Amino acid sequence: MVTTITATVPSRVERLAGSGIERIPKEYIRPEEERTSIGDIFEEEKMAGGPQVPTVDLKGINSEDLEVREKCREELRKAAVDWGVMHLVNHGIPEELTGRVKAAGEGFFGQPIEEKEKYANDQAAGNVQGYGSKLANNASGQLEWEDYFFHCIFPEDKTDLSIWPKSPSDYIAATREYAKQLRALATKVLAVLSLGLGLEEGRLEKEVGGMEELLLQTKINYYPKCPQPELALGVEAHTDVSALSFILHNMVPGLQLFYQGKWVTAKCVPNSIIMHVGDTIEILSNGKYKSILHRGVVNREKVRVSWAVFCEPPKDKILLQPLPETVSEAEPPRFPPRTFAQHIKHKLFRQSDQEADTPKPDDDHQSN
């Protein structure tokens, strides 16, 4: 006997997934033209041929040996130009710390839903921090196969500890330490990307808000097992609005990148952090660095969890536009000046030639 839920969709995907359904509600089914590209993520991760997301070894990023340092920095720059996404290894953040962060996140999601609901956000009221599931924000009313926990983690004076999980007990300490170390890593990466544009090494850091204003926001994505993974997506196709995004995961594949006209599945690289160049850096570099389209695929065998951290400029204080040094007669500005808030709004409601508002399926905090 096939169990189907058609009436009301439970607010949490975890509850829906655990209810014994064999068919997913129509709100989660992707359009037919999109479904043709959704395959078995485990089979696709094993494939050896074709393009592969680059792995960049950061061990030599600040080496005293000029040749070693330049080789490392060139690999990072090339990956940002060609792909806009990469696996970072030897990134300097101890495996013990990333292990604590993962254990804390999995511990939170391992609690009963009723316990997690104590941290529920209120998207309708504009309060996005906390425990949530996506509300339909596009014309088709489509939903994504994930629940999440979202909050600001850096700078400390902009965080609200009252909404951070109290359990597991290590959540706050592990997350705070990880935020500090990730912020230092962001500075190193931004310095290399600045030099790659012929700028002073502190320039991009300054342009995105510096130590005081660049916000680090974390989103723990929880993708339950899906009875019909060939019909759904954990996160629909999008580019990140951030300057940089850093992602940990539980070694279950799911991230796909749209590269050279095809969806490429990212391998699971041990002890790595996935880094995306976001729209903010793409705009400042006038498109020299890429913000790649990506999505999250689900499966019926294993729960997938990922820990995304978005490094975001202040919403209204900075005007994002191609830096003068990236513009020439041959390469005019590719992006109009917008604040970060205006850029998010533009993505959510891209206007057609008739100036009619057309909602787009881009959330301002997506990730895989």
Side-chain angles (χ1 to χ4, degrees):
M1 178 182 167
V2 174
T3 311
T4 311
I5 291 179
T6 52
T8 54
V9 180
S11 60
R12 302 302 175 212
V13 178
E14 181 187 358
R15 179 171 279 133
L16 180 62
S19 68
I21 61 164
E22 293 176 24
R23 292 182 185 166
I24 63 174
K26 64 180 183 348
E27 292 87 352
Y28 293 92
I29 298 175
R30 310 306 304 177
E32 189 175 353
E33 64 273 14
E34 203 175 1
R35 298 200 305 264
T36 57
S37 66
I38 302 174
D40 183 313
I41 193 69
F42 295 108
E43 291 302 315
E44 291 178 4
E45 200 231 355
K46 289 176 194 163
M47 288 168 62
Q52 302 291 337
V53 176
T55 295
V56 176
D57 188 338
L58 294 185
K59 193 175 183 182
I61 194 167
N62 288 323
S63 172
E64 291 180 9
D65 184 320
L66 178 64
E67 193 176 331
V68 170
R69 185 171 72 242
E70 289 308 313
K71 181 175 182 290
C72 173
R73 293 179 174 186
E74 175 56 22
E75 283 179 9
L76 175 54
R77 189 200 66 81
K78 187 175 186 304
V81 168
D82 294 347
W83 280 81
V85 65
M86 62 204 79
H87 300 284
L88 301 179
V89 297
N90 290 318
H91 42 70
I93 299 180
E95 188 182 346
E96 180 267 339
L97 178 56
T98 57
R100 283 172 60 202
V101 169
K102 291 181 184 181
E106 288 176 332
F108 173 77
F109 274 98
Q111 298 177 106
I113 291 176
E114 292 67 32
E115 195 60 33
K116 295 190 284 264
E117 289 291 358
K118 293 175 183 175
Y119 299 91
N121 61 17
D122 186 354
Q123 295 173 62
N127 178 19
V128 296
Q129 295 200 71
Y131 173 60
S133 308
K134 183 172 178 182
L135 297 179
N137 70 344
N138 52 47
S140 63
Q142 286 189 308
L143 299 173
E144 298 168 321
W145 197 262
E146 71 148 350
D147 299 323
Y148 64 81
F149 194 92
F150 175 77
H151 63 98
C152 178
I153 60 173
F154 193 92
E156 283 191 10
D157 64 350
K158 291 185 170 70
T159 61
D160 179 4
L161 286 183
S162 71
I163 61 159
W164 290 36
K166 309 293 181 290
S167 178
S169 58
D170 191 39
Y171 186 95
I172 292 175
T175 303
R176 274 196 152 162
E177 183 56 33
Y178 181 58
K180 283 181 199 161
Q181 296 203 26
L182 209 51
R183 183 63 186 84
L185 177 59
T187 292
K188 289 181 190 175
V189 170
L190 289 169
V192 172
L193 295 180
S194 289
L195 293 169
L197 294 172
L199 307 170
E200 291 181 9
E201 66 178 68
R203 181 70 179 281
L204 283 177
E205 167 113 13
K206 178 175 166 243
E207 294 289 344
V208 297
M211 194 57 76
E212 294 75 31
E213 297 286 349
L214 185 69
L215 285 183
L216 269 59
Q217 316 235 46
T218 192
K219 184 174 175 228
I220 307 173
N221 301 289
Y222 183 86
Y223 306 100
K225 297 176 194 175
C226 180
Q228 292 180 296
E230 69 283 359
L231 302 181
L233 285 174
V235 173
E236 58 197 355
H238 66 283
T239 61
D240 287 355
V241 294
S242 59
L244 300 171
S245 304
F246 294 95
I247 317 234
L248 296 171
H249 55 80
N250 66 337
M251 294 298 285
V252 175
L255 172 63
Q256 292 189 323
L257 303 308
F258 197 67
Y259 183 74
Q260 296 182 346
K262 290 183 179 175
W263 287 105
V264 176
T265 299
K267 306 286 189 199
C268 290
V269 178
N271 304 326
S272 69
I273 297 176
I274 296 168
M275 187 188 81
H276 288 271
V277 170
D279 297 350
T280 297
I281 294 297
E282 181 177 62
I283 292 166
L284 292 171
S285 72
N286 201 28
K288 291 176 173 62
Y289 297 133
K290 287 186 179 60
S291 180
I292 195 168
L293 191 70
H294 55 285
R295 68 184 186 184
V297 178
V298 292
N299 73 84
R300 58 167 53 86
E301 297 164 42
K302 294 180 179 179
V303 170
R304 181 170 182 260
V305 187
S306 69
W307 291 257
V309 173
F310 305 98
C311 303
E312 300 183 349
K315 284 265 200 298
D316 300 300
K317 288 187 180 179
I318 294 170
L319 203 60
L320 293 179
Q321 58 189 325
L323 297 174
E325 295 90 340
T326 67
V327 173
S328 65
E329 205 172 316
E331 296 181 272
R334 291 176 50 188
F335 306 93
R338 289 191 181 101
T339 65
F340 187 61
Q342 287 169 338
H343 175 66
I344 291 170
K345 191 175 178 185
H346 167 72
K347 289 189 78 173
L348 285 169
F349 297 97
R350 246 178 228 152
Q351 295 193 320
S352 68
D353 294 337
Q354 290 78 35
E355 292 298 305
D357 277 351
T358 309
K360 295 290 288 181
D362 282 327
D363 209 298
D364 63 335
H365 290 106
Q366 296 265 33
S367 163
N368 310 94

